[in-house]
Amino acid sequence: LHPQQSIVIGYISDNILLPILDFFYGLVPSYGLAIVALTVVIRLALFPLSAGSIRSARRMRIAQPAMKKRQDEIKRRYAKDPQKQQEELGKIMTEFGNPLSGCLPLLVQMPILFALFATLRGSPFADVPYLVNIKVLPSDQIAAVEPKPFTSSKHSIFVSETKHFPVIASLPSGTKLGVGDKVQVKLQTLTGESFTNKLSNVEGGSKFTPTWSVTKGEGLVKVSSDGTVQALAEGDATVEGKIPGLAARSGFLFIKALGQVGFYVDGAINWDIAILVGSFGLTLLVSQILSGRGLPANPQQSTANKITPVMITGMFLFFPLPAGVLLYMVIANIFQAGQTFLLSREALPENLQKILNEQQAKPAVAAGEIDTSDRLPFEPKKRK
């Protein structure tokens, strides 16, 4: 993400989402229920925007065949008059709407959804990693390198049920070291206070002491328990400091741990993750089926609606998402399915209702006639 986008997402997370989370945890001391409540609040807040996208997709699905027919006719009729062609095409957009108009609500809500996703992937629901990429140079070259201070993205770290503060990792001298050099990665608040000092004022703060490890380039660097990195040999390495998440190991309903990641770990199947991923796929399928409710049968769309949930579900089985994030995705899909159902019952504008009536009254393709309009690109031609 662009730095300015990260700032916006961080602001939304720290100043909107986390306070809402604190509020709900104060009402019901369960982070699982807090995730459910937070998801519902955000989906309700985004209801007008997502409703606009659903309405636009429904109307475009009805209008698209008529629009394409008229657009082709206009392009043919005014092939030698580009100005008149654009004028007539504009009239079609005025009558039916712009197909891209449904994308605008999605774009507007993306920062909020990214912030929500980032919130659920971090503390208190999961352990928070700070990655520092180190480049080790020959000792005789490091003197010519201009130091560029390194600062990581900030993460709000929970040290109690409702107490949290932003923490960053920093290397004032930069991430380029000479062989034999030592430097300490500092975890600190935005005001510069050491994270370790901050923990000393928190009851039971020692359980949030970070653990350090080398995740790339073992043998090139080594790191001690206080975050001190020693350069051993030339090359690129990555050091990770991980702060435990307060609720990462807390369960909810059938979920063993909200911070648990992975369907298949160390030779064992995590059935709670499997259930969450399966529920996500099922709710996505229901939502897509409801999106075509009351519309003419479209074999191509029907095939895509069946394939897409299977592909996405298969991907998420092995995608490293914490159980808390998967819980949010299932609740959000249920909400989306309900919203789609309600909007599918709305009355259409008169011109679109007329087109819909004509489409529903259209006779099926005659027996023996080859139908190629409703097949996917990879499907063979079929006779009906």
Side-chain angles (χ1 to χ4, degrees), residues 61-62 64-66 69 295-299 353-366 369-374 384:
R61 185 168 166 180
I62 296 170
Q64 190 175 18
K69 183 177 180 181
L295 300 181
N298 186 327
Q353 186 62 53
K354 181 180 178 181
I355 293 174
L356 178 59
N357 293 340
E358 292 173 353
Q359 290 174 347
Q360 291 176 330
K362 185 178 179 181
V365 178
E369 184 178 341
I370 297 176
D371 178 18
T372 61
S373 61
D374 287 330
K384 294 198 172 184

Side-chain angles (χ1 to χ4, degrees), residues 117-314:
F117 195 77
T119 300
L120 296 178
R121 288 195 70 178
S123 182
F125 305 107
D127 298 340
V128 179
Y130 290 84
L131 297 175
V132 183
N133 295 317
I134 304 291
K135 188 172 187 63
V136 182
L137 302 173
S139 54
D140 59 349
Q141 293 182 14
I142 196 65
V145 175
E146 180 181 354
K148 293 183 180 180
F150 164 80
T151 302
S152 72
S153 300
K154 65 181 177 67
H155 300 277
S156 286
I157 304 297
F158 275 73
V159 292
S160 72
E161 282 76 7
T162 56
K163 184 177 181 181
H164 45 83
F165 47 83
V167 175
I168 60 172
S170 69
L171 273 175
S173 59
T175 58
K176 293 182 178 179
L177 306 179
V179 175
D181 287 350
K182 286 186 178 182
V183 66
Q184 184 180 27
V185 182
K186 297 180 179 179
L187 292 177
Q188 59 191 40
T189 66
L190 297 182
T191 59
E193 182 179 1
S194 166
F195 180 61
T196 302
N197 292 342
K198 195 80 171 176
L199 290 180
S200 64
N201 300 320
V202 176
E203 184 178 352
S206 59
K207 63 184 177 183
F208 300 105
T209 300
T211 56
W212 293 91
S213 62
V214 178
T215 59
K216 174 188 172 184
E218 266 193 76
L220 302 181
V221 300
K222 67 178 181 178
V223 60
S224 60
S225 59
D226 65 351
T228 298
V229 179
Q230 181 178 1
L232 304 176
E234 300 172 32
D236 296 320
T238 301
V239 170
E240 178 187 77
K242 184 176 289 185
I243 300 177
L246 176 67
R249 290 152 191 84
S250 298
F252 176 66
L253 298 178
F254 61 88
I255 302 172
K256 290 185 291 186
L258 292 172
Q260 182 173 263
V261 176
F263 159 69
Y264 189 76
V265 179
D266 297 331
I269 296 175
N270 290 325
W271 289 107
D272 50 349
I273 297 292
I275 292 171
L276 285 170
V277 174
S279 299
F280 168 80
L282 180 61
T283 52
L284 180 60
L285 177 61
V286 170
S287 182
Q288 293 197 334
I289 291 174
L290 289 173
S291 68
R293 185 173 179 269
L295 300 181
N298 186 327
Q300 180 179 357
Q301 187 68 40
S302 177
T303 302
N305 285 346
K306 293 174 183 176
I307 292 176
T308 302
V310 173
M311 291 178 60
I312 296 178
T313 301

Side-chain angles (χ1 to χ4, degrees), residues 12-24 164:
I12 294 173
S13 178
D14 293 341
N15 297 281
I16 299 177
L17 302 183
L18 289 178
I20 294 175
L21 187 67
D22 293 341
F23 172 77
F24 283 115
H164 45 83

